[in-house]
Amino acid sequence: MSSIAALAEILRSNLEQNLADPEAFEIERELQEDAIEPIPDLGFPVALPDLNPDGSTTPKP
Amino acid sequence: MIDWREELHPRARGRFAEKEAARATEALATLADVKNMREYRERASTHPIVREPTTPPPAGRPAYNPDIRRDDNDDGIADRSRVGLGGRDTVPPGEIPRLPNLTEHEREVESRFADAYERDPQAKVDAYRATVKNNVFNTDDAKMLSPDYNPPKEMGMSREEVNDLRSRNNVLVHQTANAIAKTAFLQRLDELPPGSSVLVTSGGCAAGKTYATGHIEQAKALESLVGATWDAAGEQNSTENPWILDECRARGLKPIFSFVDADPLARWSSDHPHGVIERAAGKGRMVDARLFADSYAEGAKNFAAFHAAHKDDPDVGFILIDVRTDPVVPRLLESFPEVALRTDADEIYAQASRIVDEKPGLNPAIRRGATVGRRIWGSP
């Protein structure tokens, strides 16, 4: 387990860097997440239904 | 077909906000003359979210509401947390646990993801594995497979609309996402040659676990040292560690368990740049206050028991990191931080809930994500 010390230092320094600049971390995470598409076969619509003024919705064909 | 009731249509953010604001105002009014936490707890149980009508799980499926301190094998580590699978469980075979006390709409969201997984688990695991970077496995990442959490791009939702969905639906897709990530992680372990190292990160919600594994370049450095990383969800309360140890030993792998110790209230506060509320404002995924509190109090107790039992095992490594200082200067620890064991889950739950109740301008989806546990598991 000689790599534990090296691993510990990587975790500690990553934490230090990302806590100091969380914005940069979150932007990169967001880019990664944006590249992921949800599973398509769950019965979720691909288009939002129209929202009527009274709060009801009209499904798109 | 989805019925976008209760102002849940993404373009009805204004209506949703109005309704939530009315609930928040009602809740705040009941707290006007509260003098102490005992009085706060009494009033918190009257929050309007508690009165919302609920829909049971599908027929024949009991609601999953385990005792989170139950420890059948007496190893000092609880068997289950309130969400996700049991610490030692994977599916298949089996079924995705269904939460208690969900509204009809919430039940729909839960069922859509869970039913799809149960119909064809491996397809969902394959879809998740195609998204995994640097062999870091993570329940939150698997939530991206749910359209209720990560709507299709063709729908054209704005970042704010997507964040609202994530804050509202986070807990509803957690069970299935945990099942997907655990199964995918096991399949990765099957691919590793004996002797490989496996990293596990534990700690409370938003303690900094994911910051520790780092973004892509930092994670590449990790990947050169470990064959796989399990970036545990704080909500699992460190209940998965015995399972991971057993699975690693069965394959001749060498697990290294890390624990990030943070101050829970600093991590909850919206005034803290790394806090849960702040994070949700930027990217959604609001954590419920009940689960947040458990993740620090129960998670620390479970990890401490695991650490005490295995710290001298030659095939197991531990890394303990303290991030409690203000300003934060992460430092490695030689022993498990006793301060973490003094965290009281019910006290943190009450304090975190009160912060949300007394913050009138909070984003309504974040407020809902933070307080939905009062209906699901009970008030502070």
Side-chain angles (χ1 to χ4, degrees):
Chain A
M1 298 296 251
S2 59
S3 62
I4 286 190
L7 194 55
E9 181 48 31
I10 287 175
L11 296 182
R12 193 205 63 76
S13 66
N14 285 354
L15 256 170
E16 188 169 41
Q17 190 177 327
N18 293 324
L19 285 167
D21 189 5
E23 194 66 25
F25 180 87
E26 297 298 353
I27 287 171
E28 190 178 292
R29 290 274 299 174
E30 200 169 290
L31 286 173
Q32 275 186 59
E33 289 181 351
D34 282 350
I36 301 174
E37 285 289 344
I39 297 170
D41 61 348
L42 299 192
F44 199 84
V46 291
L48 280 173
D50 290 326
L51 180 66
N52 302 318
D54 66 354
S56 64
T57 57
T58 308
K60 289 183 176 172
Chain B
M1 176 56 63
I2 294 175
D3 181 4
W4 301 94
R5 286 155 297 180
E6 291 293 315
E7 288 72 42
L8 292 172
H9 189 292
R11 297 285 136 75
R13 290 181 84 227
R15 289 168 184 272
F16 174 73
E18 277 172 29
K19 251 193 166 173
E20 283 299 306
R23 292 183 181 115
T25 302
E26 182 188 336
L28 192 59
T30 67
L31 302 178
D33 56 349
V34 159
K35 296 181 193 64
N36 52 47
M37 289 307 288
R38 183 184 59 76
E39 286 185 12
Y40 169 74
R41 286 192 179 92
E42 288 168 4
R43 311 283 176 86
S45 64
T46 67
H47 193 285
I49 203 165
V50 176
R51 302 196 299 268
E52 292 175 339
T54 60
T55 297
R61 305 292 294 271
Y64 184 76
N65 200 4
D67 173 357
I68 62 165
R69 292 182 182 151
R70 184 166 165 171
D71 175 17
D72 279 348
N73 67 355
D74 220 17
D75 63 355
I77 302 153
D79 302 326
R80 298 170 186 283
S81 66
R82 295 179 203 274
V83 292
L85 305 183
R88 289 178 176 276
D89 296 343
T90 50
V91 286
E95 297 176 327
I96 301 293
R98 308 300 172 107
L99 294 175
N101 303 318
L102 300 186
T103 65
E104 189 177 4
H105 175 80
E106 290 167 351
R107 188 66 71 195
E108 253 179 55
V109 172
E110 178 191 61
S111 296
R112 195 163 16 252
F113 201 24
D115 292 351
Y117 178 78
E118 290 173 358
R119 280 196 299 273
D120 189 355
Q122 189 57 48
K124 309 306 179 285
V125 172
D126 290 344
Y128 168 62
R129 288 202 68 180
T131 72
V132 169
K133 298 274 190 293
N134 305 108
N135 291 307
V136 178
F137 293 79
N138 179 318
T139 295
D140 286 333
D141 289 347
K143 293 172 185 172
M144 299 298 288
L145 298 181
S146 164
D148 288 287
Y149 186 83
N150 177 32
K153 307 287 183 294
E154 307 93 287
M155 296 186 90
M157 289 196 200
S158 67
R159 171 61 54 188
E160 289 73 22
E161 289 168 350
V162 171
N163 285 350
D164 281 2
L165 278 187
R166 290 187 188 166
S167 284
R168 292 199 312 239
N169 295 339
N170 181 33
V171 72
L172 309 173
V173 298
H174 190 97
Q175 280 54 249
T176 305
N178 186 235
I180 292 171
K182 285 180 93 170
T183 306
F185 177 66
L186 271 192
Q187 291 177 4
R188 172 62 184 162
L189 296 190
D190 284 339
E191 297 164 358
L192 294 177
S196 302
S197 293
V198 172
L199 175 66
V200 182
T201 64
S202 297
C205 296
K209 301 180 297 296
T210 304
Y211 282 167
T213 53
H215 57 65
I216 289 179
E217 287 307 316
Q218 294 169 322
K220 274 184 185 158
L222 270 186
E223 201 183 9
S224 67
L225 293 175
V226 298
T229 297
W230 179 251
D231 182 9
E235 294 94 323
Q236 301 314 128
N237 300 350
S238 295
T239 56
E240 297 162 330
N241 291 333
W243 164 71
I244 293 170
L245 177 58
D246 288 352
E247 296 291 354
C248 284
R249 281 181 167 161
R251 295 165 175 80
L253 305 172
K254 297 180 181 306
I256 299 162
F257 296 89
S258 70
F259 182 82
V260 178
D261 179 44
D263 175 354
L265 284 178
R267 294 291 156 180
W268 178 262
S269 166
S270 59
D271 300 327
H272 194 291
H274 317 303
V276 173
I277 294 175
E278 180 70 19
R279 182 179 73 181
K283 60 181 298 184
R285 206 176 81 227
M286 186 59 200
V287 178
D288 171 69
R290 172 79 270 177
L291 300 178
F292 175 85
D294 291 345
S295 78
Y296 282 85
E298 306 305 325
K301 292 182 184 86
N302 289 328
F303 194 95
F306 182 75
H307 177 252
H310 299 288
K311 63 183 164 55
D312 297 323
D313 293 1
D315 60 341
V316 181
F318 285 94
I319 298 169
L320 309 169
I321 307 176
D322 166 46
V323 292
R324 278 185 185 259
T325 54
D326 184 17
V328 178
V329 181
R331 66 189 178 101
L332 299 172
L333 301 172
E334 293 295 321
S335 57
F336 190 84
E338 290 295 316
V339 63
L341 299 175
R342 293 196 289 272
T343 307
D344 182 299
D346 291 340
E347 185 61 30
I348 296 296
Y349 180 29
Q351 290 189 41
S353 297
R354 189 171 181 179
I355 287 170
V356 170
D357 284 350
E358 294 182 344
K359 205 166 190 60
L362 195 59
N363 171 298
I366 292 177
R367 182 187 305 284
R368 175 152 278 265
T371 52
V372 69
R374 293 188 203 186
R375 170 168 26 79
I376 301 176
W377 298 290
S379 296

